[in-house]
Amino acid sequence: MDHHNDTTSSKGNEVLVDFVVLLWSKRYKIIGIAIIFMLMALIYAMSLPRMYRATANVQIGGQQNNVVAIEQLYVLDERSSSHMNTQVELLRSRAIARKVIAQMSLETHPEYTYRQPNLVEYWKSFVLGRDNIRPQLHVDVTRQELEEIFRRNLTISPIRDSEILQISFDAHDPKLAAGVANGVVAAYIDYHRDSRSQVTEQTTQWLLEQLEEQRVNLRNAEAKLSEFSKNEDLIDMSGILGLVSKELNQITSQIIDARRNVEDIKVKSELAITLNKKSIRSLLEMEEVRSHPSIKNIRQRQFELELKESELAKRYGPKHPKRLALAAEKQAVESNLNRQLQQVFSALDNRYRDAELKVKGLENTFKEVKAAYQRLSNVQSTFTQMQRDVEAHQKLYDTFLTRLQETKATDDLEHNYARLIDPAVIPTSPFKPSKSVILLVGTFFGGMVGVFLVLAKSLIRGVLTKAEEVESSLGLDVLIELPLIKTKGTDPVRALSNDPYFAEAIRGLRTRLQLSGGFNQLVAITSTVSGEGKSSVAFQLAKACGEMEKVLLIDADMRQPSVNEMLYLPHNIPGLSNVLARTHRVGECVQRNPEWNIDVICAGEKTHDPLNFLASKKFKVLIQGLREHYDRIIIETGPIQAVSDAQVVSAVADKLLYIVRADQTSKSDVKGGLDRLRKVHAPILGIVLNKVSGRRTGGLSAAYYETQTSAKLVQLSQARRTRNSG
């Protein structure tokens, strides 16, 4: 389980590394797109109109002289949150907006009679002058639209835990913004001053009307209560109702006990009837029958007679007079027992009927008492309701009388509903647009677009990025991963040779080649397209093999030769094309490089038909002769997608290395090139993944293996040199 988790975590980290490496490799493209978006955002920000905000602070209910409480009739408590919310909505109302618009003549102000230019109009006015496009910006605004614009630009913000409101107004004209903010405060104060006077007059008139109405209502309620008490002859309602309620509870308890007794007697009566149907003597099975005094005495007498009979039977015969007299007495006792059982049975049935009659009597009494209680309850409810009506009318009358007196006392008292704390001043800088935010958002969005484009392009092209992907999709082994080395501004040959990671990777490739099995003397190197680094790989591999073997490097890419440039040799130096054209001998075309300990045959003079040269018998004879003089021959050929040189050269090669540039060459192109080589049965050894960004493990992973076999390879090299010299 832990191994599975480690594997999953490792794959996740690898995907993350691939993502970061891809973005890092395309960082200049992403940065360029981000800069373009930043410039676009800058142009957009410059075209946006400047908006100024002026703010005035006003205290709501700051100096309320509440001598009396009459304000509660028409003004909410100034210190409550609901009152503050009410004042906020009042400041935002259309009434305030209309008053300010009329006072400041905003219908004719340029702020509202001319619209702001759009992006094209802005830059047009920037070039031609604003006066040239001013007629195009003129608009006709209705009063309703002006009110909506006014309310939209007005902001009311309560300051928490205080009575202060911030009144802000936004406008393109800073003077207008300050003027409107202060004008709203003034209109708000005037509105309250005017409304208070009107409300006071209305309140006084309303109180007088209500006071007279409540006086009439109070008199009527008192008269009704007095008449009701007289008609019902009421003295103490609570005492009478309590006695009736107590009697009702007692009767209820008696009914419950009587019903319980009826059920008990009913069960016994039904049992007695059932037993009597069997025989009269079966009644003795009931405990109540057995415990009856007369029954107990008779049964006791029966027991005594049985004992006496037992004693006489011991001394006398059945016909003895005493025995006969005893039998007659027993018969009389038996008859008496039957009579007594019948009487007990009849008495039990009579008890059941009596109990039922008692229950019915109690229930009738309960109904009568209950009806009396309900009537008294209704009377009490009506009496209580009338009392409450009288009390309510009295309270209302007293309240309205008090309010009327308060209103008259506070009629001339001046109230300050709002006080201007800080008047709005003309703002010196706009609060929007925020150019820095627009630039940051534009740059960020541009960066995201750049990342998206890079990822989309990578997914659409289906480029190969790592060894596992290459092996799974192409079905070939990745011999080595060569790291990406920066060579710009330096000597590419020395930069690659001096990089320890790249050098170790090349030595690992050399090891894989030497231990590949079979014939591997002549190695052809090709790629899908140009620019994948096959020339550098061919030269570095030749240099690495030259440390242990006698090596010849042949530049067979006669269309775009590059080996002579890497070695700083003249372009017209004779080479492979000269040998095959028989204008020069082989020895004249072989260039010895003592620094890297390899021999080189350049491409030579350009020819119109390189493929014809490579397919000729002369090329095969040349290769056969060179095999006798060199331990290793490395031939660089043209890209397989552009020309068929690699297919021809593969016919004389022992092994073929296919170079694939990571993060650039598409999977479909590589498959097409490999299919072309497989059609001619090319001896493809494997894939060399070149210029792998961020991976520096390929060479080091093979370094250990290469070290273990280095001694054996040196011995093989010395044996070959001895054989060739002999």
Side-chain angles (χ1 to χ4, degrees):
M1 185 67 179
D2 294 340
H3 176 71
H4 175 71
N5 293 336
D6 294 341
T7 304
T8 303
S9 177
S10 176
K11 290 182 178 179
N13 293 335
E14 186 176 353
V15 171
L16 179 61
V17 170
D18 292 339
F19 177 73
V20 173
V21 168
L22 175 61
L23 296 184
W24 179 253
S25 63
K26 306 296 183 182
R27 60 188 181 278
Y28 296 115
K29 181 181 294 185
I30 297 174
I31 292 173
I33 296 175
I35 291 175
I36 293 174
F37 273 80
M38 182 187 68
L39 294 176
M40 293 171 61
L42 178 61
I43 295 173
Y44 173 74
M46 291 177 63
S47 66
L48 292 176
R50 293 181 179 139
M51 185 70 75
Y52 295 86
R53 172 172 291 177
T55 302
N57 292 335
V58 60
Q59 183 180 4
I60 303 298
Q63 294 180 344
Q64 292 294 332
N65 299 319
N66 293 327
V67 178
V68 289
I70 185 61
E71 290 81 2
Q72 295 178 0
L73 283 174
Y74 50 89
V75 179
L76 295 175
D77 183 10
E78 286 80 8
R79 294 175 179 82
S80 65
S81 59
S82 60
H83 172 74
M84 186 65 72
N85 293 334
T86 302
Q87 302 310 308
V88 169
E89 293 304 321
L90 180 58
L91 285 165
R92 292 173 178 166
S93 65
R94 294 182 180 274
I96 298 295
R98 293 192 191 101
K99 193 168 186 178
V100 176
I101 290 172
Q103 289 177 349
M104 301 187 66
S105 302
L106 298 183
E107 301 94 336
T108 59
H109 196 281
E111 177 86 10
Y112 303 105
T113 56
Y114 292 92
R115 63 176 176 83
Q116 297 298 317
N118 55 32
L119 181 63
V120 176
E121 292 170 342
Y122 171 81
W123 290 107
K124 186 177 180 181
S125 66
F126 185 79
V127 176
L128 303 178
R130 188 177 182 86
D131 294 336
N132 292 328
I133 67 167
R134 189 174 181 84
Q136 303 176 12
L137 303 178
H138 184 271
V139 292
D140 294 326
V141 181
T142 63
R143 178 174 291 274
Q144 185 177 0
E145 291 174 343
L146 182 58
E147 290 176 2
E148 291 298 328
I149 296 173
F150 182 93
R151 296 177 65 196
R152 187 166 57 248
N153 293 336
L154 180 64
T155 304
I156 312 298
S157 303
I159 297 179
R160 189 173 182 180
D161 300 330
S162 70
E163 298 177 341
I164 297 177
L165 294 177
Q166 287 186 339
I167 301 176
S168 303
F169 191 80
D170 303 338
H172 301 294
D173 184 356
K175 294 182 180 179
L176 178 64
V180 171
N182 293 326
V184 169
V185 176
Y188 173 73
I189 295 175
D190 292 342
Y191 175 84
H192 269 295
R193 186 181 296 114
D194 296 340
S195 62
R196 171 170 173 75
S197 176
Q198 182 180 0
V199 169
T200 302
E201 293 178 0
Q202 294 175 352
T203 302
T204 302
Q205 183 63 31
W206 180 77
L207 285 174
L208 289 172
E209 295 174 357
Q210 292 297 319
L211 187 62
E212 182 61 27
E213 182 180 348
Q214 293 304 320
R215 182 185 292 112
V216 174
N217 292 338
L218 178 59
R219 289 177 181 177
N220 293 336
E222 290 175 344
K224 288 181 181 179
L225 179 61
S226 177
E227 183 180 358
F228 181 79
S229 300
K230 183 178 179 180
N231 294 335
E232 295 292 338
D233 194 17
L234 299 179
I235 299 175
D236 184 8
M237 282 296 303
S238 60
I240 297 174
L241 195 62
L243 292 175
V244 176
S245 176
K246 185 176 180 180
E247 182 182 1
L248 193 63
N249 291 334
Q250 291 176 353
I251 295 174
T252 302
S253 300
Q254 292 176 5
I255 290 175
I256 292 173
D257 295 338
R259 286 176 178 173
R260 189 181 298 113
N261 187 37
V262 167
E263 291 297 328
D264 186 32
I265 295 174
K266 181 180 179 181
V267 171
K268 293 178 181 180
S269 178
E270 290 176 351
L271 179 60
I273 292 172
T274 302
L275 294 175
N276 189 38
K277 289 180 179 180
K278 296 180 181 179
S279 66
I280 193 65
R281 291 297 184 89
S282 299
L283 294 175
L284 294 174
E285 296 180 8
M286 296 178 60
E287 177 63 27
E288 186 172 357
V289 175
R290 290 196 304 270
S291 61
H292 194 274
S294 59
I295 301 300
K296 287 179 67 176
N297 293 333
I298 294 173
R299 295 188 68 190
Q300 179 65 30
R301 183 56 184 166
Q302 282 182 328
F303 181 70
E304 293 175 356
L305 291 176
E306 288 177 357
L307 290 177
K308 187 175 180 180
E309 183 181 15
S310 177
E311 292 177 358
L312 291 177
K314 295 178 182 179
R315 289 185 280 178
Y316 305 107
K319 302 295 184 177
H320 193 276
K322 289 185 177 182
R323 292 280 300 275
L324 294 174
L326 182 62
E329 187 177 0
K330 284 181 65 179
Q331 184 66 31
V333 170
E334 290 289 338
S335 298
N336 188 23
L337 177 62
N338 291 336
R339 287 193 301 272
Q340 289 297 326
L341 288 173
Q342 187 64 38
Q343 292 176 2
V344 170
F345 174 74
S346 299
L348 188 62
D349 186 55
N350 293 332
R351 283 177 57 194
Y352 175 68
R353 291 190 183 93
D354 294 341
E356 284 187 332
L357 292 174
K358 183 179 180 180
V359 170
K360 291 180 180 179
L362 290 173
E363 289 177 347
N364 293 332
T365 304
F366 177 80
K367 291 179 181 179
E368 294 175 358
V369 176
K370 180 180 179 182
Y373 180 80
Q374 289 176 344
R375 188 186 68 81
L376 290 175
S377 297
N378 292 334
V379 171
Q380 185 188 34
S381 176
T382 304
F383 181 80
T384 304
Q385 180 65 38
M386 289 183 174
Q387 278 187 326
R388 284 199 297 265
D389 290 343
V390 172
E391 293 173 357
H393 288 304
Q394 184 64 52
K395 289 181 180 179
L396 284 174
Y397 179 80
D398 294 340
T399 299
F400 283 111
L401 181 59
T402 303
R403 295 296 182 264
L404 181 60
Q405 294 172 352
E406 289 176 351
T407 302
K408 292 179 179 180
T410 59
D411 189 20
D412 298 329
L413 182 64
E414 183 177 356
H415 292 266
N416 294 323
Y417 285 90
R419 185 163 60 94
L420 183 61
I421 303 298
D422 293 323
V425 296
I426 299 175
T428 58
S429 59
F431 78 98
K432 69 177 183 179
S434 179
K435 295 182 180 179
S436 58
V437 174
I438 295 175
L439 290 179
L440 288 176
V441 172
T443 304
F444 176 78
F445 184 73
M448 291 298 98
V449 170
V451 170
F452 174 77
L453 291 178
V454 168
L455 293 178
K457 185 177 180 181
S458 176
L459 294 175
I460 293 173
R461 291 184 59 192
V463 296
L464 300 169
T465 58
K466 50 187 177 180
E468 295 83 356
E469 184 181 357
V470 173
E471 292 176 349
S472 62
S473 60
L474 302 180
L476 289 174
D477 292 337
V478 175
L479 303 177
I480 204 71
E481 289 180 307
L482 299 178
L484 175 63
I485 307 299
K486 295 182 179 180
T487 60
K488 187 176 181 179
T490 61
D491 184 359
V493 175
R494 297 188 182 279
L496 297 177
S497 300
N498 295 333
D499 187 87
Y501 299 101
F502 190 88
E504 288 295 340
I506 286 295
R507 284 194 287 270
L509 177 60
R510 178 189 65 187
T511 302
R512 292 292 301 270
L513 177 62
Q514 292 172 336
L515 299 182
S516 60
F519 295 103
N520 54 19
Q521 181 184 12
L522 196 150
V523 181
I525 297 178
T526 188
S527 63
T528 305
V529 294
S530 59
E532 297 193 68
K534 58 182 177 58
S535 300
S536 299
V537 174
F539 180 81
Q540 293 296 330
L541 179 61
K543 182 177 72 68
C545 293
E547 297 174 357
M548 308 175 65
E549 302 171 324
K550 185 178 181 182
V551 179
L552 172 65
L553 173 62
I554 300 177
D555 187 359
D557 189 359
M558 290 181 280
R559 291 177 176 81
Q560 293 181 346
S562 57
V563 174
N564 54 345
E565 294 181 0
M566 288 191 296
L567 298 178
Y568 300 101
L569 297 174
H571 292 286
N572 57 356
I573 190 172
L576 180 61
S577 62
N578 300 94
V579 174
L580 297 178
R582 295 184 178 180
T583 60
H584 293 74
R585 291 179 296 176
V586 177
E588 296 175 341
C589 298
V590 175
Q591 309 297 325
R592 178 65 180 171
N593 191 314
E595 180 180 3
W596 307 115
N597 194 32
I598 61 174
D599 292 343
V600 178
I601 297 180
C602 297
E605 295 182 0
K606 288 190 176 183
T607 177
H608 298 291
D609 192 7
L611 182 61
N612 190 29
F613 274 157
L614 296 175
S616 64
K617 185 177 181 181
K618 292 180 289 184
F619 179 71
K620 296 180 181 179
V621 172
L622 173 63
I623 294 301
Q624 188 63 33
L626 293 174
R627 282 179 180 271
E628 298 178 358
H629 293 83
Y630 292 95
D631 300 324
R632 185 81 58 193
I633 301 174
I634 298 175
I635 303 178
E636 178 200 354
T637 68
I640 187 66
Q641 193 179 61
V643 293
S644 302
D645 297 359
Q647 293 174 279
V648 175
V649 174
S650 65
V652 298
D654 299 326
K655 304 292 182 184
L656 185 140
L657 303 182
Y658 200 95
I659 310 299
V660 175
R661 181 173 179 176
D663 299 322
Q664 179 168 318
T665 310
S666 65
K667 188 188 305 181
S668 59
D669 292 342
V670 176
K671 284 185 176 181
L674 291 174
D675 290 341
R676 295 180 65 182
L677 291 173
R678 289 190 178 104
K679 288 180 181 179
V680 296
H681 305 288
I684 304 172
L685 178 61
I687 303 294
V688 176
L689 196 59
N690 192 25
K691 297 184 179 182
V692 180
S693 301
R695 293 186 177 85
R696 298 201 168 231
T697 59
L700 296 178
S701 62
Y704 176 78
Y705 182 72
E706 194 265 344
T707 303
Q708 297 293 320
T709 58
S710 58
K712 181 177 180 180
L713 295 176
V714 170
Q715 293 176 0
L716 292 173
S717 176
Q718 291 176 352
R720 287 179 179 175
R721 290 177 184 273
T722 302
R723 184 182 70 251
N724 292 335
S725 62

